[in-house]
Amino acid sequence: MLDIVLTRLRQGHRTGRYPRHPPQLPDRFRGLPRIDGAKCPAGCRACAETCPSEAIAINGSIQLDLGRCVFCSDCQEACPEGAITWSAEYRLAARRREDLVVIAGDQRNCVTDSAIDSAGAALRTRIAMLFGRSLKLRQVSAGGCNACEADTNVLGTIGFDLGRFGIQFVASPRHADGLLITGPVTENMRLALEKTYEAVPAPKVVIAVGACAISGGLLAGNSEVHDGATGLLPVDLYIPGCPPHPFTILDGLLRLIGRIE
């Protein structure tokens, strides 16, 4: 027992300093993409044609849908002029589905500039009043590959310590304030997801984590999936990524309940 105590003292404080201090992200981290429309050659569709999830559309200007994007960087490699680059901006969550679309020349620092911080101010105030000091979530893996699930689960470790913000994952939907959904919602999981949603007492929130839960991701259009939770349940928060970094998930959750601005 004494050895355990001494080891713990030597280790010191292990929990990250976020949100008081910016998170330390790996050099290879891919955050919010930047699109320089001025560099795009006329008629070039190399980025759109190489995108495995059809997240890029060219309608006069390049539009990249973070809700479909799997952050593979194939578009960056395919672009002959380097018009698409990836920043280290990890704050990607949005309240509205349309706010996940990044347009060429858009110089927002993060998706939250227009999504969480301005849109739906009344809803944000209500959520903060209801869940600001305590948010209990039931996590539902609706056919996911376990990548988003793993990055969600790691929030409970000592490095992130999700519980210090009053946010916890619970075993029963009847004890929850909302659902956190991962996966494309396969047909085998559709009824289970709907029943779990019904079991959560009102008022409740729904959070879609990852490209699959938002749009179906790489599986979009498959007859055995429902292209995410968007068409089945009223989603209050979208957290894009494949998978989203734990700090991206944590930032979205804290902004949802008004713990950070």
Side-chain angles (χ1 to χ4, degrees):
M1 183 63 184
L2 180 59
D3 290 340
I4 295 176
V5 174
L6 291 175
T7 300
R8 187 65 186 89
L9 289 174
R10 284 194 296 268
Q11 289 176 342
H13 188 73
R14 301 294 296 275
T15 304
R17 296 182 178 182
Y18 180 83
R20 293 185 179 180
H21 299 275
Q24 295 182 349
L25 298 168
D27 294 337
R28 297 176 62 185
F29 174 76
R30 298 182 189 128
L32 183 69
R34 305 293 189 189
I35 306 174
D36 188 347
K39 292 183 177 180
C40 296
C44 179
R45 296 185 54 84
C47 58
E49 292 173 357
T50 195
C51 180
S53 59
E54 300 181 355
I56 298 177
I58 301 178
N59 299 312
S61 63
I62 300 178
Q63 300 180 6
L64 194 157
D65 184 357
L66 292 180
R68 298 180 65 93
C69 180
V70 294
F71 291 73
C72 65
S73 78
D74 284 358
C75 55
Q76 181 180 15
E77 297 175 7
C79 180
E81 302 297 332
I84 300 177
T85 57
W86 297 86
S87 72
E89 178 55 71
Y90 63 94
R91 297 170 295 173
L92 304 176
R95 285 279 181 81
R96 302 180 304 182
R97 178 67 179 87
E98 57 267 29
D99 284 322
L100 292 177
V101 178
V102 178
I103 303 173
D106 191 340
Q107 296 300 315
R108 288 176 296 172
N109 289 328
C110 59
V111 176
T112 57
D113 284 345
S114 65
I116 289 184
D117 292 336
S118 61
L123 175 61
R124 179 184 178 188
T125 300
R126 176 169 172 77
I127 289 177
M129 291 177 59
L130 291 171
F131 308 123
R133 296 183 62 84
S134 176
L135 179 65
K136 313 298 183 185
L137 297 173
R138 176 65 169 93
Q139 198 273 326
V140 178
S141 178
C145 69
N146 205 42
C148 292
E149 292 83 349
D151 276 1
T152 298
N153 292 340
V154 79
L155 293 175
T157 63
I158 190 172
F160 298 92
D161 192 13
L162 186 64
R164 64 190 162 121
F165 302 109
I167 305 174
Q168 296 178 335
F169 291 104
V170 296
S172 171
R174 300 191 185 280
H175 300 160
D177 300 311
L179 299 182
L180 188 149
I181 304 169
T182 56
V185 188
T186 61
E187 175 58 24
N188 286 341
M189 282 298 299
R190 178 188 59 81
L191 182 59
L193 176 62
E194 292 175 343
K195 287 187 174 181
T196 304
Y197 175 78
E198 293 172 0
V200 177
K204 49 194 167 185
V205 297
V206 176
I207 303 165
V209 174
C212 287
I214 296 174
S215 67
L218 292 172
L219 301 175
N222 189 289
S223 60
E224 293 300 315
V225 303
H226 291 270
D227 293 349
T230 305
L232 298 174
L233 302 176
V235 179
D236 299 290
L237 182 68
Y238 301 90
I239 305 179
C242 187
H245 193 279
F247 277 121
T248 299
I249 302 173
L250 180 57
D251 177 80
L253 294 177
L254 294 182
R255 290 179 186 275
L256 178 69
I257 61 177
R259 293 293 298 272
I260 59 175
E261 300 295 332

